[in-house]
Amino acid sequence: MSDIIHLLPDSVANQIAAGEVIQRPASVIKELVENAVDATARRIDVLVVDAGKTSIQVIDDGKGMSETDARLSFERHATSKIKEASDLFALRTMGFRGEALASIAAVAQVELRTRLTDAELGTELVISGSQVERQEVVSCPGGSNFLVKNLFFNVPARRKFLKSNQTELSNILQEFERIALVHPDVAFTLSHNGTVMMNLPVSSLRQRIANVFGKKLNEQMLAVDVDTTLVHLNGFVGKPEAARKKGVHQYFFVNGRYMRHPYFHKAVMEAFDQLIPMGEQVPYFLYFDVAPAHIDVNIHPTKTEIKFENEMAIWQIIVAAVRESLGRFNAVPTIDFDTEGKPDIPVFEAGTVAAGQPELQVNPDFNPFQTVGKGASSTRPRSTDWMSLYEEPSSECRTSAWASGEEDVQPDSGAGLYAEEEPIPEVSALHYQYKGQYILTSVKSGLMLIDQHRAHIRILYDRFKAQMASRSGTSQGVLFPEIFRLPASDAVILDEISDDLHALGFDLSSLGGGSYSVNGIPAGTEGLNPADMLTNMVECAKEKGGNLEDEVRHRIALSLARSAAIVPGQVLTNVEMEALIDDLFACASPNYTPDGKVIIAILQQDNVDKMFR
């Protein structure tokens, strides 16, 4: 029997490794920018074309590479960060696995120009699909210039499953923001199709956060700073009033590296217990400085999962540090009165005579019902027997008046008197509102209960979907346009769904830099915060991705319906309940909300009868 086990060629092995390291264009930018940071670059420029599908260029002014290092850097497991296994527990660099450049070169066409800062000439290297096509000496600036073209050109299945340009660009911006937030001492720029999307100069940490996410977030942050033998924790957490259900910015960084850590996230939320509503989140930017020997970053190629040696102790430190910041915010309220232009109030002296209290002159015999005002123009004497006007006419008077035909009175009108030309008003079916949440009404089979909040969501959802389909949404202009700002990654999603927002009735104007002016909102959403509505819809569109138009429209309509629907506890009149029920049963699916929750429940008549047996 012949042998069947054999070694894979390096090009195939690199493509397999690229499946873990390089998942989309954002992964390429993450690896190249992190390498530039490790090279002590003070300025990094990222230029992207067609959301990275056509080309990605990363230019830095770091140390650069020699001719030999430039060639060797594209080999698997070639790195300058570590030399032996023990170095994994003393890492201070972003990269160390030696797989990024080899994986990128395996699935793209790469051009590298690099020069050492103290060298006169640099090196140009061209690689396509792990094959070196050209290497020569060139004149170029100090640092490195990576140009990655036609990503996944030799893996068409991977390229086919890339998302739309807007979605991929949003992912690129997210990765870019994570690196920029942890390196405020480095200047970053990001351009897409020749347009500068982010320009972040060297600044302080707080200013870098404000430059990325806006000045409004800067006003809502509290500083956190605690130093222990286990960890040095610093950064910022949001005030309780900054809590939201969606779209909050939450970041953990350890030793300059972004990480996800659900356990530490619970610690932050524990510090806000009883301070924010259930289900809402607060923004935070927390930076951990831990001895490298106490953490393990070599868990996943993306390096976003990190193990801590003393997780429970650090959990307690996080809770205590955040609570201390909240305590400093609330403990000593400052009262600063403005004394400029204050009134001159004389000081009371014991020997002075106080001013007398004014006396009121009252006529006890005055009766407004018996006195005719002066200057009355009417010559008809005013009747003083006003109480007789409110007396119920006797049955004899009503009968004699109807029999004689002198008065237009109906004999069967009951308690009320109706003119002959006025029809008797029709009384609609009576409904009962239970605890401000459920509408109870009788039906042939028993007692029907309707959740008023969910019913209104169903009605508004169908209405908004129809408006988007027909592009017939009615816009209600606002008196004072509201200005709000989105991060660059969210602004891309907003631009993608702008047509659907316009169809709903939103009138938005872009002011540049991620800022927008809300000039009009959909009719029926008056009184709601348009910035919160738009932020929620952007988050809903981001969760699913922008390449599925119907799904994105569904999420936009559902998000807006939830925002505009009547809330549980809102008191409704019988007319309003009647209109709500009529609109609900005019829907195609009145029994369930768009996300599958029950709207209507019926208590059968037989079950009601059994309760009284």
Side-chain angles (χ1 to χ4, degrees), residues 10-11 14 64-79 98 101-102 105-106 110-115 122-136 144 146:
D10 289 342
S11 58
N14 289 339
M65 291 182 284
S66 65
E67 182 178 357
T68 303
D69 287 345
R71 177 64 184 86
L72 192 59
S73 65
F74 288 94
E75 297 295 332
R76 285 193 71 193
H77 308 304
T79 179
L101 292 182
V110 182
E111 297 180 8
L112 167 63
R113 289 192 173 196
T114 182
R115 179 175 69 84
T123 302
E124 181 181 30
L125 185 63
V126 179
I127 301 178
S128 178
S130 298
Q131 301 297 321
V132 178
E133 296 184 350
R134 185 174 75 251
Q135 182 174 358
E136 58 188 13
S144 299
F146 283 89

Side-chain angles (χ1 to χ4, degrees), residues 365-475:
D365 298 329
F366 176 75
N367 188 340
F369 297 102
Q370 296 177 355
T371 305
V372 179
K374 296 181 180 180
S377 59
S378 175
T379 59
R380 180 180 178 180
R382 180 172 299 181
S383 173
T384 58
D385 191 13
W386 59 273
M387 297 181 63
S388 63
L389 299 176
Y390 295 92
E391 293 181 352
E392 184 77 13
S394 62
S395 59
E396 293 81 359
C397 295
R398 292 199 301 267
T399 305
S400 60
W402 170 70
S404 61
E406 295 177 358
E407 299 289 342
D408 295 331
V409 180
Q410 302 294 333
D412 296 330
S413 58
L417 302 178
Y418 297 95
E420 186 177 7
E421 64 272 14
E422 292 183 352
I424 300 176
E426 297 181 359
V427 180
S428 60
L430 292 177
H431 309 286
Y432 176 72
Q433 190 178 26
Y434 178 65
K435 291 189 176 180
Q437 184 173 0
Y438 303 103
I439 299 174
L440 278 62
T441 186
S442 61
V443 292
K444 185 176 181 180
S445 57
L447 181 65
M448 182 169 62
L449 295 85
I450 301 174
D451 189 310
Q452 65 182 38
H453 176 66
R454 294 180 181 179
H456 204 203
I457 289 177
R458 174 83 257 179
I459 296 167
L460 294 178
Y461 172 83
D462 289 356
R463 186 179 303 166
F464 293 142
K465 281 294 292 289
Q467 289 176 359
M468 282 191 289
S470 61
R471 304 286 171 177
S472 60
T474 304
S475 179

Side-chain angles (χ1 to χ4, degrees), residues 43-44 92 96 178 181 198 394 398 523 557 584-585 613:
R43 180 178 179 84
I44 301 174
R92 287 290 181 181
F96 59 88
R178 293 171 182 174
L181 286 173
M198 298 185 71
S394 62
R398 292 199 301 267
L584 175 63
F585 285 102
R613 290 178 182 173

Side-chain angles (χ1 to χ4, degrees), residues 297-313:
V297 299
N298 189 28
I299 297 176
H300 193 271
T302 58
K303 310 181 191 72
T304 58
E305 300 178 12
I306 298 176
K307 291 288 186 181
F308 286 75
E309 183 179 357
N310 301 299
E311 285 190 346
M312 186 172 296

Side-chain angles (χ1 to χ4, degrees), residues 100-111:
L101 292 182
S103 299
I104 294 172
V107 293
Q109 299 168 342
V110 182
E111 297 180 8

Side-chain angles (χ1 to χ4, degrees), residues 165-180:
N165 284 358
Q166 288 81 3
T167 303
E168 295 297 344
L169 181 59
S170 178
N171 292 326
I172 288 173
L173 288 165
Q174 288 180 6
E175 292 289 351
F176 188 81
E177 289 168 358
R178 293 171 182 174
I179 301 175

